[in-house]
Amino acid sequence: MFTDFKNTIDFFIRNKTKFSRKNFVEKDKNLIERNIRENDYYRDVLEQFFKKNLKQNLKILDIGSKNWFYAKGEFDFFNSFSSNFLLKGVELDAHRLYSNFYSRYEVAKYHIKNLKNVEYLADNLLNIEEKFDYITWFLPFITLKPLVFWGLPKKFFKPEKMLLHAYNLLSKNGQMLIINQGEKEAQIQKELLEKLGIKFLELGKIESEFFEYKNERFGFLIKQK
Ligand SMILES: C[S@@+](CC[C@H](N)C(=O)[O-])C[C@H]1O[C@@H](n2cnc3c(N)ncnc32)[C@H](O)[C@@H]1O
């Protein structure tokens, strides 16, 4: 109860003030090296599961991008077969501050700086209305605890509504990849998909030679007819 009140006030203030230091640049060699491997991981995961769509003007949405530390991995995957695409990342809590007083927004600007046709949107997924050929959704909040732990007000916990909304954003033949953390969350994700009558392919445990996360990840592929 108190935590939700605190999260609600904090969220309101950071979205009103949008306070941040400007022009973030990562200087820590270890973090830069880790980021390269994580981008390789994200690229590899898309490579493993997405079917390449050769149509012109592809539109792609990444949901819950945080500081979009993996934007280059996603960019590299789509750039490997498309010469003309627009990649958007949407993040509800874009103005959340790190202890160094840079916001996720500023850090995301650094990660997408040299990537053409890539946009980071500080917005709620539920406000997005366009259609997309691809949607990527890494680690959605499908239980309340992590959402609260990450500092979001409880009113944003709407897993069913969000999933249905995301599904409806897919264009004809569109593909959506959802990656969950841990077997328990994957089971909840599966039940949500079943409850909403959304057809899916269960991908099981996600593995990549490029990076290994401490918590196992599981995936689902959804295709729009
Ligand atoms: C667990 S994090 C995942 C971050 C990132 N995708 C990754 O792979 O590490 C979930 C993110 O979803 C964001 N989020 C939650 N609800 C959202 C909404 N309605 N619209 C956009 N982003 C949302 C959260 O703020 C958080 O940054």
Side-chain angles (χ1 to χ4, degrees):
M1 166 85 169
F2 176 73
T3 311
D4 192 45
F5 179 68
K6 182 182 172 299
N7 284 355
T8 303
I9 300 286
D10 285 353
F11 183 83
F12 176 79
I13 293 173
R14 59 183 177 266
N15 281 287
K16 270 274 171 238
T17 62
K18 300 184 173 45
F19 173 79
S20 176
R21 288 171 73 191
K22 301 286 183 242
N23 303 320
F24 173 80
V25 177
E26 183 59 75
K27 293 188 183 117
D28 183 320
K29 281 203 176 113
N30 291 330
L31 293 180
I32 292 173
E33 190 272 332
R34 178 191 161 111
N35 184 245
I36 291 171
R37 288 190 297 119
E38 285 189 287
N39 271 288
D40 281 340
Y41 169 94
Y42 275 74
R43 180 188 44 72
D44 182 42
V45 172
L46 304 198
E47 182 87 45
Q48 286 184 48
F49 302 111
F50 272 152
K51 194 164 174 273
K52 295 180 180 176
N53 179 344
L54 299 179
K55 93 172 206 206
Q56 287 291 307
N57 302 320
L58 286 179
K59 287 181 70 184
I60 306 136
L61 179 68
D62 179 73
I63 301 175
S65 309
K66 197 168 80 175
N67 61 24
W68 222 0
F69 64 90
Y70 53 92
K72 185 167 186 317
E74 297 196 327
F75 178 90
D76 284 348
F77 168 70
F78 292 106
N79 200 38
S80 71
F81 64 93
S82 171
S83 55
N84 195 351
F85 63 88
L86 177 61
L87 170 59
K88 295 187 179 187
V90 62
E91 171 52 53
L92 175 67
D93 204 4
H95 303 292
R96 190 171 179 79
L97 279 186
Y98 293 103
S99 54
N100 57 10
F101 297 108
Y102 286 105
S103 66
R104 287 176 171 179
Y105 190 89
E106 282 299 317
V107 178
K109 267 168 55 186
Y110 160 78
H111 285 297
I112 66 173
K113 200 169 164 188
N114 299 315
L115 307 178
K116 208 176 127 215
N117 294 336
V118 177
E119 291 173 14
Y120 179 82
L121 312 171
D123 207 344
N124 189 333
L125 165 71
L126 297 174
N127 294 331
I128 306 277
E129 295 294 351
E130 316 150 56
K131 294 281 180 190
F132 294 91
D133 302 292
Y134 292 93
I135 295 179
T136 52
W137 202 351
F138 284 87
L139 318 184
F141 289 141
I142 50 170
T143 58
L144 183 60
K145 215 170 147 186
L147 176 137
V148 172
F149 182 76
W150 279 54
L152 284 178
K154 277 184 187 168
K155 67 174 181 191
F156 291 116
F157 184 63
K158 296 176 180 166
E160 266 183 55
K161 191 170 178 186
M162 298 244 305
L163 180 56
L164 195 59
H165 188 82
Y167 179 67
N168 287 328
L169 294 182
L170 281 174
S171 37
K172 193 167 177 279
N173 299 321
Q175 305 170 53
M176 172 158 68
L177 182 64
I178 302 180
I179 304 291
N180 301 103
Q181 190 165 271
E183 241 168 335
K184 227 163 126 185
E185 280 201 3
Q187 182 57 33
I188 297 170
Q189 184 71 69
K190 187 175 170 181
E191 286 163 15
L192 271 177
L193 288 161
E194 283 169 349
K195 187 169 174 201
L196 295 173
I198 298 174
K199 291 214 164 59
F200 59 89
L201 186 65
E202 201 171 349
L203 305 172
K205 191 173 154 197
I206 306 299
E207 286 181 289
S208 169
E209 62 181 288
F210 296 101
F211 198 86
E212 195 178 333
Y213 285 98
K214 206 167 69 202
N215 297 313
E216 290 179 337
R217 294 181 172 198
F218 296 82
F220 297 89
L221 184 65
I222 289 114
K223 289 186 182 173
Q224 181 68 273
K225 289 274 174 274

